[in-house]
């Protein structure tokens, strides 16, 4: 059965093209992917990300319980801060990548990917030692407000002082009269907020943001622009760039792994061993220097032999180049290394480049 977010009818009224996305009926675009992408880079865009899941740990010992499940360290941050982290399996591969919000040592909220909602909850419940998780996913809607004009738009609709909410920090307050978690996070490379609100209030908040954002050139944005925006920043997508067979170290996400964290975490031993032995393959960003656009699953070749495959690829609307990501042997992972991408039966040259592809000032 296809699932729908609380904003499904709003998308249809706006003329969105709807597609099935991991079992959810979601907007892929409203006008065009490029127009929506450029709105986020130059003005402000709204994304319905209510298909994401939320899992809460509530009670004494919540922080310690979650800290044993995630690769990052909640004890190093303060209340009102969040961390990007991995839920890792025993081999150091990704069960999922998540954002964990520290309200207090006794209240932690974890945002999980839509494709993994049930799997993650089951995994956490089976391994939680102390506080049991509660699935809050159906209670929340989530709207991402992203772009250089995002802060001004949200500030006009809230009494909360947004200047006091730094990156990966959050606060609770009302936006357009709707109780919300105002989180300065995102998946686009632009400034902005992800607003968590009660599902029943999602339409009210969405409509208020659209109306108040008209002078800013606000656009509703679909999954197509969300994908091109995150690819330009080399942000990993679960199921494409990270999965249970690739470790955090291979994915270049060693910075979200705190191997010295007291008490450890699931997957730590495997990562310690891999780090000592040396990482044999790495996720790289590359530009195609010949004619063609790399796509997920295309083979990566060196001297005619397959050495990896593209995990994500697109024609970057802002960088105006064909760009992609993929796992290659460590010897090919240094900046300037060259290989070919097989595009429609042709070996097209590509070069490893420094990422993110889009350089932000």
């Amino acid at each position: 059965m296809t699932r729908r977010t609380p904003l499904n009818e709003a998308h249809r009224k706006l003329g969105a093209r709807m597609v099935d996305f991991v079992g959810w009926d979601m907007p892929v675009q409203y006008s065009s992917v490029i127009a929506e992408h450029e709105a986020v880079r130059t003005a402000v865009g709204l994304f319905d990300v209510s298909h994401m899941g939320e899992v809460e740990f509530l009670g004494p010992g919540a922080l310690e319980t979650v800290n044993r499940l995630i690769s990052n360290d909640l004890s190093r941050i303060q209340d009102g801060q969040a961390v990007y982290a991995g839920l890792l399996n025993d081999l150091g591969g990704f069960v999922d990548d998540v954002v964990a919000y520290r309200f207090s040592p006794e209240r932690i909220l974890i945002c999980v990917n839509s494709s993994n909602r049930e799997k993650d909850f089951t995994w956490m419940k089976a391994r939680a030692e102390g506080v049991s998780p509660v699935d809050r996913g159906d209670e929340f809607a989530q709207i991402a407000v992203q772009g250089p004009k995002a802060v001004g738009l949200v500030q006009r609709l809230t009494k909360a002082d947004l200047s006091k909410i730094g990156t990966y920090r959050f606060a609770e307050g009302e936006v357009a009269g709707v109780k919300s978690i105002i989180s300065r996070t995102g998946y686009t490379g632009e400034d902005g907020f992800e607003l968590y609100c009660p599902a029943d209030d999602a339409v009210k908040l969405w409509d208020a943001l659209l109306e108040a954002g008209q002078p800013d050139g606000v656009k509703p944005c679909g999954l197509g622009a969300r994908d091109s925006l995150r690819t330009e920043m080399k942000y990993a997508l679960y199921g494409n760039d990270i999965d249970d067979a690739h470790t955090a170290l291979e994915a270049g996400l060693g910075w979200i792994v705190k191997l010295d964290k007291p008490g450890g975490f699931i997957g730590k031993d495997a990562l310690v061993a891999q780090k000592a032995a040396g990482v044999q393959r790495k996720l790289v960003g590359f530009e195609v220097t010949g004619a063609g656009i790399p796509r997920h699953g295309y083979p990566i070749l060196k001297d005619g032999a397959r050495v990896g495959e593209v995990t994500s690829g697109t024609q970057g609307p802002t960088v105006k180049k064909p760009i992609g990501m993929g796992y290659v042997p460590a010897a090919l992972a240094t900046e300037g290394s060259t290989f070919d991408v097989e595009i429609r039966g042709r070996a097209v040259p590509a070069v490893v480049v420094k990422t993110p592809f889009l350089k932000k000032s």
Side-chain angles (χ1 to χ4, degrees), residues 28-29 32-41 47 187-190 221-237 240-241 293-295 312-325 356-358:
V28 68
Q29 66 183 69
S32 76
V33 172
I34 291 177
E36 293 163 24
H37 179 110
E38 290 304 319
V40 174
R41 290 280 182 249
F47 299 84
Y187 195 48
T188 65
E190 300 298 329
C221 301
L223 295 173
R226 185 169 164 83
D227 192 59
S228 60
L229 288 158
R230 68 96 190 167
T231 301
E232 287 189 332
M233 299 305 297
K234 197 182 175 251
Y235 291 161
L237 173 65
N240 281 40
D241 314 297
I293 300 173
R295 300 295 187 192
S312 291
T314 191
Q315 174 72 23
T318 305
V319 299
K320 303 189 185 309
K321 297 175 182 177
I323 56 175
M325 298 180 242
F357 301 102
L358 181 64

Side-chain angles (χ1 to χ4, degrees), residues 3 21-24 26 49-53 96-97 111-120 223 238:
R3 303 175 73 174
F21 179 73
V22 295
W24 289 81
M26 295 295 293
V49 284
S50 305
H51 58 317
M52 304 290 276
D96 202 1
D97 62 322
C111 178
V112 305
N113 279 299
S114 57
S115 59
N116 295 329
R117 283 174 60 155
E118 288 75 19
K119 179 190 77 171
D120 286 0
L223 295 173
Y238 188 87

Side-chain angles (χ1 to χ4, degrees), residues 286-292 322 338-340 348-353:
F286 63 85
E287 292 178 5
V288 170
T289 54
T338 58
F339 48 73
D340 295 323
V348 181
V351 59
V352 176
V353 298

Side-chain angles (χ1 to χ4, degrees), residues 66-82:
V66 174
N67 238 15
R68 287 189 289 266
L69 300 177
I70 66 172
S71 63
N72 215 320
D73 189 357
L74 288 166
S75 71
R76 300 189 188 190
I77 64 171
Q78 299 174 335
D79 296 350
Q81 285 186 272

Side-chain angles (χ1 to χ4, degrees), residues 195-271:
L195 306 175
Y196 296 77
C197 73
D200 290 345
D201 292 329
V203 173
K204 178 182 177 181
L205 180 57
W206 175 267
D207 287 347
L209 288 162
L210 274 181
E211 182 178 353
Q214 290 305 307
D216 301 315
V218 68
K219 282 186 180 293
C221 301
L223 295 173
R226 185 169 164 83
D227 192 59
S228 60
L229 288 158
R230 68 96 190 167
T231 301
E232 287 189 332
M233 299 305 297
K234 197 182 175 251
Y235 291 161
L237 173 65
Y238 188 87
N240 281 40
D241 314 297
I242 52 177
D243 55 31
D244 59 4
H246 293 86
T247 74
L249 300 182
E250 292 170 343
L253 292 173
W255 61 275
I256 70 169
V257 173
K258 301 299 186 280
L259 296 175
D260 60 345
K261 177 171 62 171
F265 58 91
I266 297 169
K268 174 186 172 180
D269 291 347
L271 295 181

